Amino acid sequence: MLQAFALSRRAVIAGGLLLPMISGVALAAPRSLTFAVFRNGAKVGEHRMSFSGDGDDITATTQVAMTVKLGPVPVYRYRHNATERWAAGRFASLETTTDGNGKKQRVSARAGAGGVAIDASAGKLTAPAGAAPLTHWNPKVFAGPLFNPQDGKLLKVRASKVGANQWAIRGDTEIDNVYDDAGQWLSLKGKLEDGSRIEYRRL
């Protein structure tokens, strides 16, 4: 996930989002997704997702492992694990742990009638009802408020559809996601805070 791989900020995006509330949506989840991750053209790791459940009741499990090297020497290591649950087409819960070069973060989020209760290493907050994590695999979330799955904070971005199957996310970050006709995630390109380029290529 691009927002999980900013080298100097807690994610690629942070703040609050002004978008309409997301309601129940049809999910387009395959059994698994695997991406090779490249930074400035050099492979730095992989992003793997597996999905269980049926229809609109989905559990998505994510494992991300990346290492940036300066020549043969590792200078940045990143690990991220997440379990994301959707029920009846609506975001239900998220549990994540992240280790970025020894800096550890955790997020626990639960959707309820009054909003999404988020308990993270940085503190607690209540996101608007219908908020969902920006984990990229589900383009339906772009219709509603988003929060960062790494630090639990609300995101200040705008998402717009470009053509039939591409979404451009702009604000404090620059991300382009491409999906197939069924809505399954195919690729990602983005720009990190340090000016480097990151790309996800599906395997």
Side-chain angles (χ1 to χ4, degrees), residues 87-99:
R90 292 177 171 84
F91 169 71
S93 68
L94 177 74
E95 301 284 341
T96 72
T97 59
T98 305
D99 186 336

Side-chain angles (χ1 to χ4, degrees), residues 2 12 35 38 136 166-170 173-178 185-192 196-201:
L2 179 55
V12 217
F35 296 90
F38 295 81
H136 300 283
Q166 180 173 326
W167 282 87
I169 304 170
R170 298 294 185 268
T173 191
E174 181 182 301
I175 305 171
D176 293 291
N177 282 316
V178 177
W185 189 19
L186 293 179
S187 67
L188 175 153
K189 291 183 179 180
K191 185 178 180 180
L192 296 177
S196 60
R197 292 282 175 177
I198 193 163
E199 181 179 359
Y200 276 30
R201 300 176 190 172

Side-chain angles (χ1 to χ4, degrees), residues 7-156:
L7 297 182
S8 56
R9 199 173 287 182
R10 51 191 174 268
V12 217
I13 35 190
L17 178 70
L18 298 177
L19 285 174
M21 184 185 303
I22 190 171
S23 60
V25 296
L27 304 180
R31 291 296 94 182
S32 64
L33 289 170
T34 302
F35 296 90
V37 183
F38 295 81
R39 178 177 178 267
N40 290 338
K43 185 178 179 181
V44 294
E46 290 189 353
H47 181 126
R48 298 176 179 272
M49 299 190 72
S50 60
F51 300 87
S52 60
D54 296 302
D56 292 338
D57 298 322
I58 295 292
T59 296
T61 302
T62 300
Q63 293 181 315
V64 185
M66 305 181 192
T67 301
V68 177
K69 295 182 179 181
L70 184 59
V73 180
V75 295
Y76 184 86
R77 290 184 174 90
Y78 178 88
R79 301 292 184 270
H80 176 82
N81 294 281
T83 301
E84 177 184 350
R85 293 183 173 87
W86 287 70
R90 292 177 171 84
F91 169 71
S93 68
L94 177 74
E95 301 284 341
T96 72
T97 59
T98 305
D99 186 336
N101 243 19
K103 179 181 179 181
K104 296 183 179 181
Q105 295 174 292
R106 61 163 186 82
V107 173
S108 178
R110 296 284 185 279
V116 178
I118 301 174
D119 184 353
S121 298
K124 297 181 180 181
L125 64 89
T126 300
L134 180 55
T135 48
H136 300 283
W137 67 272
N138 180 12
K140 301 295 185 179
V141 302
F142 298 140
L146 300 171
F147 66 89
N148 189 319
Q150 176 175 305
D151 63 17
K153 296 187 176 183
L154 290 169
L155 303 176
K156 185 181 291 184

